[in-house]
């Protein structure tokens, strides 16, 4: 197994924008998660509603898992683009 | 239940353990330095670290606890899967990159990076130790539960075995070995769980029925039976239920439940604790194996004695929704000084099983608060678990920390979807041991073949080994870097690693003892406590240090202490602890809720804000004064 020897501690110019993006995406997921809790607690009958073969409880639960995976990929895609763009710009400016 | 070990199971199991120890030996040479021991030198590739994250996280609580809870309580067990995964969103979006950027060995480094305060290190170190111990208990309980059916050993011996193996792993090789054990085990767990789900769906659903005795009359003077080979010897009423002790012609004495609607006695399972200290299982000694596995459908879409053949995943759930599942309730009766625990059938509609409410009824305000509190703890707990946080220091940079978190989310998310089918598969596939809710998934595997059972159990055991290793490394790091290391005297690297190994052995010893004491509790339930303590003690401090400029060192210390103490007080004085841990059945506990997060997390945040506002100015002035003095010098 190949190992990278030295931990990198380079300056990350995209850190600020990634932190902001992370907070927004965290807020979106938190709202969807809070919705699940709220429906379960305050309208439990809704969780028994049929949705095809399954019911709302199973559907919402599976959706929360799949949604988390999708959001994670979107977040990584945007972060990687920001890192590529901003850190390259920074290196170019530094070189000048 | 009496489990018969198989030679295959023993061979596969010990081969796996031997392999894990070999990995440990191989990586021992990398752990001579402090950095090597605690963070594997920051050299782990992010894909490996991501799967290792999954390995760390898919502990006994996930594989044994969640599957068991779904098998016993239906959808409510799946709430843990949902909450555990949601917690990774906090880790990914809020914590991963900044924590990697600010820390070195432990999360206390990150908290302390702005303040250089010994108080923060000590508070965070104590918190790490306590959270780790809370998390270690269910792992040890799970280890004992696994070893019993696999090797036929008693629970306590399983706990000691896992404790001993893990102490060897950690004391010899540290984080590099722990990471590769977790990588291997995380990948295998997901692959074999998928295979098991495939087998469950391929087999489909089958109805089954238990024995009955036809009642001739049930008058006030007692029940009489049509079959004269059976005689009713005693009767007990518990709530709405009538139970009868029945003697058969061949001398066996068993307990039955009266079903007035059908005019029959229904089979129960019973455990008799006799006044002379002996224990009978279904009226016979344990080794006769009369206390059998249960779990079945009585009808499929209203049709008894039928089967479906292979089904798709949604069809599987859809059929359960429209069928009747037999769940089991418990009652206790006294029989001439003997205590009999009776497990009786409770047919439940599939629709009810697939909805929330069987484990966490939401009928009262208190229950609603408990539920919200649990979901809050699961959401905020993940990003505050010490053994998860230290894994951010094993990769080279913040981007690698982020990517490894995403790999973890994919692996863990996929596994949690599988738990739904493993749990319901156990519930209707005869894989329930009524005395141990943690055994459902391994017993489900056993229903297909001993080889799969042995492999799954070995992986589950490695799950425990890996998670316990991670927790011991985290605890050891907390002792060396946060507690001992905060002293004035600078230690040599050799000394640091040496103290760390001694700390790992000490914490491992405590975990062994507690694992034996907490034998009968569901492991996922116990992990819920660890999450609540972590979410209360660590997360408010982590988030506020990262995102609130007015945070002061004293605010962080106060927040950790208040979160930790309030969460522990609520847990230790809750009704479920009174009943399940102290065994005080008829005593009302002083705390109105079982899960502390809904009180302790906001309290910890509030404490940090108030104390920071009160002390920030003073701390800044002292810092400026110190800087000025250094500049002059």
């Amino acid at each position: 197994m190949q190992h990278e020897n030295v931990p990198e501690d380079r300056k990350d110019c995209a850190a600020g924008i990634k932190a902001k993006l992370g907070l927004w995406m965290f807020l979106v997921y938190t709202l969807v998660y809070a919705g699940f809790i709220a429906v379960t607690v305050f309208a439990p009958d809704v969780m028994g509603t049929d949705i095809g073969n399954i019911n709302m409880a199973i559907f919402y639960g599976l959706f929360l898992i799949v949604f988390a995976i999708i959001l994670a990929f979107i977040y990584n895609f945007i972060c990687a683009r920001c890192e590529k763009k901003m850190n390259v710009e920074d290196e170019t400016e530094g070189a000048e | 239940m009496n489990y018969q070990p198989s030679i295959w199971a023993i061979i596969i199991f010990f081969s796996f353990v031997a392999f894990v120890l070999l990995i440990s030996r191989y990586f021992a040479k990398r752990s001579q330095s402090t950095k090597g021991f605690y963070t594997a030198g920051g050299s782990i590739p992010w894909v490996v670290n991501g799967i290792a994250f999954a390995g760390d996280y898919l502990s006994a609580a996930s594989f044994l606890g969640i599957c068991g809870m779904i098998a016993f309580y239906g959808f409510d067990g799946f709430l843990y899967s949902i909450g555990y995964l949601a917690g990774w969103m906090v880790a990914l979006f809020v914590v991963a990159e900044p924590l990697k950027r600010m820390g070195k060995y432990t999360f206390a480094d990150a908290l302390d990076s702005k303040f250089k305060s010994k108080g923060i290190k000590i508070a965070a170190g104590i918190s790490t130790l306590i959270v780790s111990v809370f998390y270690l208990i269910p792992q040890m309980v799970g280890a004992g539960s696994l070893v019993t059916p696999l090797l036929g050993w008693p629970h306590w011996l399983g706990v000691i075995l896992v404790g001993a193996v893990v102490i060897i792993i950690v004391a010899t090789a540290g984080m590099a070995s722990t990471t590769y054990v977790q990588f291997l085990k995380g990948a295998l767990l997901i692959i074999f769980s998928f295979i098991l789900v495939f087998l469950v769906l391929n087999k489909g659903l089958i109805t089954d029925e238990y024995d009955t005795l036809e009642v001739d009359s049930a008058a006030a003077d007692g029940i009489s039976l049509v079959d004269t080979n059976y005689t009713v010897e005693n009767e007990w009423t518990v709530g709405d239920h009538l139970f009868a002790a029945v003697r058969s012609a061949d001398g066996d004495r068993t307990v039955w439940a009266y079903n007035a609607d059908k005019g029959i006695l229904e089979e129960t399972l019973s455990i008799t604790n006799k006044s002379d200290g002996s224990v009978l299982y279904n009226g016979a000694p344990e080794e006769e194996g009369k206390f059998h596995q249960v779990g079945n459908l009585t009808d499929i879409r209203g049709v008894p004695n039928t089967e479906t053949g292979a089904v798709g995943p949604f069809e599987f759930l859809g059929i359960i929704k429209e069928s009747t599942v037999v769940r089991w309730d418990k009652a206790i009766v006294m029989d001439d000084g003997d205590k009999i625990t009776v497990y009786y059938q409770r047919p439940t509609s599939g629709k009810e099983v697939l909805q929330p409410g069987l484990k966490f009824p939401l009928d009262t305000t208190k229950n609603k608060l408990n539920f919200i509190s649990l979901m809050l703890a699961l959401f905020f707990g993940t990003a505050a678990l010490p053994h998860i946080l230290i894994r951010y220091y094993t990769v080279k940079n913040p981007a690698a920390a982020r990517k490894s978190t995403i790999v973890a989310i994919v692996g863990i998310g996929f596994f949690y979807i599988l738990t739904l089918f493993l749990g319901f598969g156990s519930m209707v596939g005869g894989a329930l041991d009524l005395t141990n809710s943690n055994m459902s998934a391994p017993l489900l595997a056993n229903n297909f073949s001993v080889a799969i059972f042995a492999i799954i159990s070995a992986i589950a055991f490695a799950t425990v080994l890996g998670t316990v290793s991670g927790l011991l490394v985290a605890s050891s790091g907390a002792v060396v870097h946060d507690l001992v290391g905060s002293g004035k005297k600078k230690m040599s690297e050799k000394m640091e690693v040496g103290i760390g190994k001694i700390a790992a052995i000490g914490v491992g010893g405590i975990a062994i003892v507690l694992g034996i004491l907490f034998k009968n509790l569901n492991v996922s339930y116990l992990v819920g406590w660890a999450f609540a303590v972590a979410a209360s003690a660590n997360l408010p401090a982590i988030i506020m240090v990262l995102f609130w400029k007015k945070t002061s060192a004293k605010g962080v210390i106060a927040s950790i202490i208040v979160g930790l103490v309030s969460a522990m007080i609520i847990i230790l004085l809750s009704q479920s602890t009174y009943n399940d841990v102290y065994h005080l059945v008829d005593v009302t506990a002083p705390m109105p809720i079982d899960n502390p997060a809904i009180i302790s997390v906001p309290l910890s945040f509030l404490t940090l804000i108030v104390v920071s506002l009160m002390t920030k100015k003073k701390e800044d002035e002292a810092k400026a004064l110190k800087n000025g003095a250094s500049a002059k010098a």
Side-chain angles (χ1 to χ4, degrees):
Chain A
M1 189 72 67
Q2 200 175 356
H3 286 263
E4 295 124 302
N5 289 327
V6 187
E8 271 183 24
D9 275 324
R10 283 192 313 177
K11 187 188 164 197
D12 181 6
C13 300
I17 196 162
K18 285 191 293 182
K20 263 186 196 160
L21 175 71
L23 282 179
W24 277 108
M25 294 186 90
F26 168 68
L27 188 67
V28 169
Y29 193 82
T30 304
L31 287 174
V32 180
Y33 184 75
F36 174 81
I37 297 173
V39 174
T40 306
V41 172
F42 300 111
D45 292 342
V46 175
M47 285 301 194
T49 313
D50 285 349
I51 297 181
N53 264 338
I54 53 175
N55 62 14
M56 176 62 99
I58 301 275
F59 175 80
Y60 205 153
L62 290 174
F63 172 73
L64 275 168
I65 293 175
V66 175
F67 187 52
I69 294 171
I70 293 169
L71 278 188
F73 277 118
I74 294 173
Y75 176 66
N76 186 54
F77 178 75
I78 300 174
C79 285
R81 281 188 69 136
C82 290
E83 280 163 0
K84 204 173 171 186
K85 196 177 168 201
M86 297 177 81
N87 291 335
V88 167
E89 276 172 8
D90 184 56
E91 277 171 24
T92 317
E93 280 166 24
E96 283 167 6
Chain B
M1 253 177 73
N2 185 41
Y3 296 103
Q4 298 299 325
S6 86
I7 189 72
W8 268 111
I10 293 168
I11 291 170
I12 292 173
F13 176 80
F14 279 108
S15 306
F16 206 88
V17 172
F19 184 62
V20 165
L21 288 173
L22 273 177
I23 292 179
S24 181
R25 192 179 153 80
Y26 174 76
F27 284 104
K29 61 179 182 288
R30 290 176 190 270
S31 61
Q32 305 301 315
S33 69
T34 308
K35 211 165 178 125
F37 187 79
Y38 290 107
T39 65
S43 65
I44 304 289
W46 57 266
V47 175
V48 174
N49 201 52
I51 299 291
F53 257 137
D56 266 325
Y57 202 64
L58 299 178
S59 66
S62 294
F63 183 63
L64 303 178
I66 292 180
C67 294
M69 209 176 271
I70 294 174
F72 277 72
Y73 301 102
F75 181 82
D76 278 357
F78 190 53
L79 289 168
Y80 279 91
S81 294
I82 295 166
Y84 283 148
L85 187 78
W88 280 92
M89 295 290 99
V90 185
L92 174 66
F93 294 142
V94 183
V95 170
E97 290 202 41
L99 207 75
K100 168 66 186 167
R101 214 169 280 127
M102 292 163 76
K104 198 175 171 191
Y105 295 116
T106 66
F107 88 97
D109 294 334
L111 288 185
D112 192 41
S113 62
K114 282 183 187 169
F115 306 108
K116 310 288 174 222
S117 151
K118 281 179 195 166
I120 289 183
K121 285 248 177 187
I122 291 169
I126 291 171
S127 162
T128 297
L129 280 177
I130 291 176
V131 172
S132 297
V133 168
F134 264 89
Y135 211 98
L136 278 166
I137 299 168
Q139 308 307 322
M140 290 301 196
V141 171
S145 299
L146 275 169
V147 162
T148 305
L150 196 68
L151 308 178
W153 291 359
H155 183 275
W156 62 267
L157 202 53
V159 174
I160 290 176
L161 175 72
V162 81
V165 175
V166 165
I167 287 170
I168 292 170
I169 292 174
V170 175
T172 55
M175 198 59 177
S177 144
T178 300
T179 298
Y180 282 98
V181 168
Q182 291 295 46
F183 169 72
L184 183 76
K185 163 241 132 170
L188 286 176
L189 184 65
I190 293 169
I191 291 167
F192 275 91
S193 296
F194 179 69
I195 292 171
L196 191 52
V197 168
F198 175 79
L199 291 172
V200 167
L201 297 177
N202 191 49
K203 185 183 175 191
L205 295 154
I206 305 168
T207 59
D208 196 5
E209 284 180 359
Y210 298 101
D211 291 342
T212 57
L213 292 172
E214 202 175 330
V215 172
D216 185 29
S217 71
D221 59 337
I223 294 172
S224 63
L225 301 169
V226 172
D227 188 341
T228 51
N229 287 319
Y230 294 90
T231 318
V232 175
E233 288 193 343
N234 204 352
E235 292 175 23
W236 309 274
T237 303
V238 181
D240 298 336
H241 299 278
L242 178 63
F243 299 103
V246 175
R247 177 84 63 188
S248 67
D250 53 13
D252 286 347
R253 190 175 193 260
T254 47
V255 179
W256 298 70
Y258 178 53
N259 184 329
D261 295 336
K262 294 183 179 172
I264 54 171
L265 289 183
E266 292 176 332
E267 182 184 351
T268 71
L269 295 182
S270 64
I271 298 173
T272 306
N273 292 90
K274 293 182 76 70
S275 50
D276 62 7
S278 61
V279 183
L280 299 177
Y281 291 79
N282 268 15
E286 188 177 15
E287 40 293 358
E288 288 188 23
K290 292 197 171 175
F291 195 92
H292 51 85
Q293 289 171 217
V294 294
N296 67 303
L297 294 170
T298 54
D299 67 74
I300 291 177
R301 292 179 167 149
V303 182
N305 302 318
T306 186
E307 59 184 283
T308 62
V311 290
F314 289 111
E315 195 184 359
F316 176 81
L317 297 171
I319 292 170
I320 291 177
K321 191 180 70 178
E322 293 166 10
S323 306
T324 306
V325 179
V326 176
R327 295 176 57 246
W328 295 76
D329 267 349
K330 191 167 83 170
I332 291 173
V333 297
M334 295 306 295
D335 181 31
D336 295 334
D338 299 341
K339 180 182 146 195
I340 306 180
T341 306
V342 185
Y343 298 91
Y344 59 97
Q345 298 172 45
R346 183 170 183 171
T348 310
S349 78
K351 198 173 165 57
E352 206 179 327
V353 166
L354 260 66
Q355 272 179 254
L358 292 179
K359 171 72 181 171
F360 306 111
L362 298 165
D363 48 350
T364 62
T365 307
K366 180 185 151 187
N367 286 342
K368 286 176 181 174
L369 284 176
N370 257 326
F371 174 78
I372 296 170
S373 194
L374 172 69
M375 296 308 281
L376 198 69
L378 300 184
F379 191 50
F380 287 121
T382 302
L385 292 172
H387 71 297
I388 295 296
L389 295 176
I390 56 167
R391 196 157 282 296
Y392 284 123
Y393 304 120
T394 59
V395 289
K396 65 172 183 173
N397 60 21
R402 181 187 73 238
K403 287 176 191 168
S404 59
T405 311
I406 291 166
V407 172
I409 288 170
V410 174
I412 293 166
F414 179 63
F415 176 82
Y416 281 150
I417 292 173
L418 298 179
T419 60
L420 198 58
F421 300 98
L422 294 174
F424 282 116
S426 305
M427 178 186 249
V428 300
L432 305 184
D433 170 358
L434 293 175
T435 61
N436 190 343
S437 68
N438 300 319
M439 279 312 297
S440 304
L443 291 178
L444 179 67
N446 201 27
N447 284 355
F448 289 100
S449 87
V450 173
I452 294 176
F453 167 65
I455 293 169
I456 286 275
S457 297
I459 295 168
F461 193 77
T463 293
V464 177
L465 290 182
T467 306
V468 174
S469 308
L471 286 162
L472 291 192
V473 173
S475 307
S476 153
V479 170
V480 172
H481 299 293
D482 306 337
L483 299 179
V484 181
S486 61
K488 280 182 183 172
K489 202 176 168 187
K490 174 82 182 148
M491 290 182 290
S492 68
E493 285 214 349
K494 199 176 169 188
M495 199 172 174
E496 279 188 353
V497 174
I499 292 174
K501 288 177 179 178
I502 293 168
I505 294 167
V507 177
I510 293 169
I512 288 174
V513 174
L514 293 175
I516 293 169
L517 292 177
F518 284 74
K519 177 188 168 187
N520 291 323
L521 289 183
N522 179 283
V523 293
S524 212
Y525 188 74
L526 287 169
V527 163
W529 285 352
F531 271 67
V533 176
S536 311
N538 301 343
L539 197 80
I542 294 171
I543 288 186
M544 296 307 261
V545 165
L546 294 177
F547 296 104
W548 194 48
K549 286 179 183 166
K550 290 182 181 171
T551 303
S552 74
K554 287 196 172 68
V556 172
I557 297 167
S559 161
I560 293 174
I561 292 170
V562 168
L564 193 65
V565 172
S566 60
M568 285 182 61
I569 287 176
I570 294 171
I571 288 171
L572 295 175
L573 299 180
S574 71
Q575 193 65 54
S576 64
T577 308
Y578 266 49
N579 295 348
D580 300 332
V581 180
Y582 310 144
H583 302 294
L584 300 170
V585 180
D586 295 321
V587 182
T588 305
M591 287 297 162
I593 58 171
D594 293 330
N595 199 301
I598 199 165
I599 296 171
S600 51
V601 172
L603 191 64
S604 179
F605 269 113
L606 192 69
T607 304
L608 188 145
I609 292 167
V610 171
V611 175
S612 292
L613 289 175
M614 285 165 61
T615 57
K616 178 71 178 164
K617 204 175 164 189
K618 222 172 179 179
E619 277 183 18
D620 285 347
E621 284 170 3
K623 205 172 169 183
L625 208 67
K626 199 176 166 188
N627 288 344
S630 330
K632 273 183 191 173

